[in-house]
Amino acid sequence: MSDKPEKLITDDGLRLDGRRADEIRPMKIEIGVLSRADGSCYLEWGRNKILVGVFGPREAHPRRSQRADTAVIRYKYNMASFSVEDRARPGPSRRSIEISKVSREAFEPVIMAELFPKTAIDIFVEVLQADAGTRTAAINASSVALADAGIPMKGLITSCAFGKIDGKIVLDLNKDEDNYGDADFPVAMTQDGEITLVQMDGHLTPEEIREGLELVKKGCKEILEIQQAVLRKKFETPMGELAEEAAETSNTENEVVEAEAPLEYASKVAVVEEALKETEEFEDAVSEDISEAGAVTEAVPELDELEEIIKEAEAGIEEETIEEVIESEIEEKAEEDEADFEASFEASFEEVSEPDEVEELEPEEAVSGEEETGFESEIEEFVEEEPQPAEELQVEEEAGIEEAASEETLESEPEVESEAESREEAPAEELEAEEESVEEPEEEKCEGPWKVVKDPSESGSRGEKDE
Ligand code: UDP
């Protein structure tokens, strides 16, 4: 630390560095100096050298730091250990934490954080060289860096301090003035002059503060002009340059489109071109097929006819339900079967009887009279007659077998049905006799109900006729 000078303001009213009371130190600003940051700024103000990097809006980590309705603004002021005459202790300190807090609050009124909920906007300040007024210098640099990052803001923030040295209010204290002065009063404000930060170190009267604030307004106005000039230089591009850039871009695009493939890809390009050609040929063939199919469809007049047929069928189905149609078909089928059965029955009957006898039997009176000689009347008599003793049945069977063994026409269906009926109604003795007859020799075996006919002479007469 340098020794205390005898005077901070010389006799001609100038300060030791040659400035007048209302002058700020020379300020130089560079924008976009950090490639990895979204926005950055390097600021020299007197012998202060400040570097600021802005990151965001980006997802806030840790998650518990997120806010659902707005972005969180994080401001980290750090003084490099080599930035001061006496080595500064690395890491956060009470002073750096305090400066970080008030500086963040200085920006909160202008940053439109509500547009980026759950995100964070990080502002990192590194003081590379300190010579008093580093917080105000950092705020000015941060304002430019935020604009460089594209963070929506209602306006820029500018900051400057005033102080009191040798009993006189002056603007923007340097290191000796800060160390050996009577007061230090840093201020930050918006473009509209609304104050967002006020601190005071020392003793000042209200009149001195009023006088000092007027100086600060003047100083902030000058700083704002420097900031705006820097931002304007980066983001405002003359129309002539824009036209030239557009022309260059269009020329480059045309060159890219017209550029031929390098030799190293020549073989692959040929393969791709061949595949494209095959694909086009295939698509043409498919389109031709489709067009031909369409022509065939148009040339078929039967479509209209088919539609009419379908409509008629649907109308028919409506008038006559499907169930009725099926029932009528079933009835027709049953009638046909019945007719076939009767025809076959009559045919078999004709084979059994002589033509003359058939003629006699056809009239109803002959069939229903007492002198029934037809096969049906025999069956009816058999069904209706009382069970006979086993001995009589056996005699009858033997007689029937001898006389009717050669009859072939007795295998007709009605006879079989009669046999079944007789089996149902015949007593056990009869059934046993039948079983015994089954055990007879092959040539004497006779099947059919005529084995048990009541009158053997009738059966024999038929057998004689067959012979
Ligand atoms: N300073 C220092 N060592 C420290 C802190 C500050 O040498 O640990 C110097 C530094 O040059 C700084 C000045 O003291 O600029 C005034 O510090 P102050 O706390 O007033 O903050 P500033 O004026 O930089 O915003």
Side-chain angles (χ1 to χ4, degrees):
M1 188 172 178
S2 60
D3 296 334
K4 181 182 178 183
E6 187 178 343
K7 290 181 178 178
L8 293 173
I9 299 177
T10 61
D11 296 336
D12 54 5
L14 296 177
R15 299 152 66 174
L16 296 178
D17 56 8
R19 291 181 291 158
R20 292 189 300 268
D22 59 350
E23 286 183 341
I24 60 171
R25 291 170 285 182
M27 181 178 286
K28 187 177 77 173
I29 296 176
E30 290 183 36
I31 193 170
V33 293
L34 300 176
S35 60
R36 293 195 185 90
D38 296 312
S40 58
C41 177
Y42 171 73
L43 181 144
E44 289 183 1
W45 193 4
R47 286 189 281 187
N48 289 313
K49 297 184 179 179
I50 311 293
L51 184 63
V52 175
V54 172
F55 298 82
R58 60 182 180 180
E59 188 176 2
H61 291 290
R63 283 181 174 272
R64 63 175 180 276
S65 66
Q66 294 180 357
R67 290 183 59 182
D69 57 340
T70 183
V72 293
I73 300 169
R74 297 186 292 209
Y75 192 105
K76 186 177 181 182
Y77 169 97
N78 184 60
M79 180 175 274
S81 57
F82 54 84
S83 64
V84 292
E85 191 174 4
D86 299 327
R87 179 181 177 273
R89 183 171 183 172
S93 63
R94 290 173 62 91
R95 177 178 171 274
S96 67
I97 292 169
E98 171 222 320
I99 292 173
S100 296
K101 178 182 181 294
V102 297
S103 299
R104 173 176 55 78
E105 292 173 348
F107 280 101
E108 284 178 348
V110 294
I111 295 176
M112 302 171 75
E114 67 276 7
L115 299 178
F116 308 102
K118 298 183 180 180
T119 65
I121 299 171
D122 288 300
I123 305 165
F124 295 99
V125 173
E126 292 292 328
V127 178
L128 305 177
Q129 184 170 293
D131 192 59
T134 55
R135 73 190 71 192
T136 55
I139 289 172
N140 291 327
S142 297
S143 187
V144 174
L146 284 165
D148 183 38
I151 304 297
M153 292 190 294
K154 297 172 184 174
L156 294 172
I157 295 291
T158 54
S159 183
C160 188
F162 76 89
K164 181 179 170 183
I165 53 170
D166 290 348
K168 187 176 173 67
I169 301 297
V170 297
L171 187 63
D172 183 26
L173 303 178
N174 60 27
K175 180 71 169 69
D176 286 342
E177 291 170 343
D178 183 87
N179 288 340
Y180 303 113
D182 301 322
D184 182 22
F185 199 103
V187 175
M189 63 177 63
T190 66
Q191 293 180 207
D192 300 329
E194 294 180 1
I195 294 174
T196 59
L197 177 146
V198 171
Q199 291 185 297
M200 186 176 77
D201 179 18
H203 297 278
L204 292 169
T205 64
E207 185 61 29
E208 292 173 336
I209 294 174
R210 248 181 250 109
E211 183 184 355
L213 287 175
E214 290 300 321
L215 291 177
V216 164
K217 286 181 182 177
K218 178 181 175 291
C220 285
K221 186 179 178 182
E222 295 176 3
I223 295 167
L224 178 62
E225 289 176 356
I226 298 170
Q227 292 171 320
Q228 289 176 335
V230 172
L231 292 169
R232 215 174 275 125
K233 185 178 180 182
K234 177 173 183 179
F235 292 108
E236 282 187 3
T237 305
M239 295 301 293
E241 293 182 12
L242 283 174
E244 290 177 3
E245 288 180 4
E248 290 176 1
T249 305
S250 61
N251 290 333
T252 308
E253 288 176 353
N254 292 333
E255 288 174 3
V256 170
V257 170
E258 295 172 359
E260 294 183 357
L263 288 175
E264 55 185 326
Y265 298 116
S267 59
K268 295 177 182 176
V269 168
V271 172
V272 171
E273 286 177 352
E274 190 177 348
L276 286 172
K277 191 177 179 182
E278 290 177 357
T279 305
E280 289 174 358
E281 291 174 358
F282 175 74
E283 288 175 352
D284 292 341
V286 170
S287 62
E288 286 177 3
D289 292 343
I290 291 169
S291 61
E292 287 177 2
V296 168
T297 304
E298 291 173 359
V300 174
E302 286 82 5
L303 275 176
D304 296 337
E305 297 176 4
L306 287 172
E307 289 178 356
E308 290 180 2
I309 292 168
I310 292 169
K311 285 181 181 176
E312 289 176 1
E314 289 175 351
I317 290 172
E318 288 175 358
E319 292 173 359
E320 188 176 12
T321 60
I322 295 172
E323 288 78 5
E324 290 175 347
V325 171
I326 294 170
E327 286 177 1
S328 64
E329 288 182 357
I330 291 171
E331 288 176 359
E332 288 176 2
K333 180 67 176 172
E335 289 174 0
E336 289 176 1
D337 293 342
E338 190 177 352
D340 294 341
F341 171 76
E342 288 177 355
S344 62
F345 175 77
E346 288 174 358
S348 64
F349 188 78
E350 288 172 359
E351 290 176 2
V352 171
S353 305
E354 288 292 330
D356 297 339
E357 293 179 357
V358 172
E359 289 175 1
E360 293 176 0
L361 287 171
E362 280 178 354
E364 290 184 359
E365 55 270 16
V367 174
S368 59
E370 295 177 355
E371 298 178 353
E372 286 179 330
T373 54
F375 193 70
E376 289 178 346
S377 61
E378 293 178 8
I379 295 170
E380 289 175 1
E381 288 177 3
F382 169 73
V383 171
E384 291 174 357
E385 69 183 2
E386 292 294 326
Q388 296 180 4
E391 293 175 358
E392 293 179 8
L393 285 172
Q394 194 168 357
V395 171
E396 289 176 359
E397 282 174 10
E398 289 173 355
I401 289 166
E402 289 174 356
E403 295 175 1
S406 60
E407 293 183 1
E408 296 175 0
T409 59
L410 299 177
E411 295 177 356
S412 59
E413 290 180 4
E415 294 168 359
V416 174
E417 289 178 1
S418 300
E419 181 184 12
E421 291 176 1
S422 67
R423 280 181 178 277
E424 289 177 1
E425 297 181 6
E429 293 80 0
E430 292 180 21
L431 292 174
E432 288 175 3
E434 289 179 15
E435 289 173 0
E436 287 176 2
S437 66
V438 170
E439 294 174 1
E440 289 175 349
E442 193 69 25
E443 62 272 14
E444 296 180 357
K445 187 181 291 182
C446 185
E447 298 176 354
W450 58 90
K451 293 185 292 181
V452 290
V453 291
K454 184 178 181 181
D455 190 354
S457 63
E458 290 180 4
S459 175
S461 65
R462 272 187 288 161
E464 291 170 359
K465 287 174 185 174
D466 289 339
E467 291 173 2

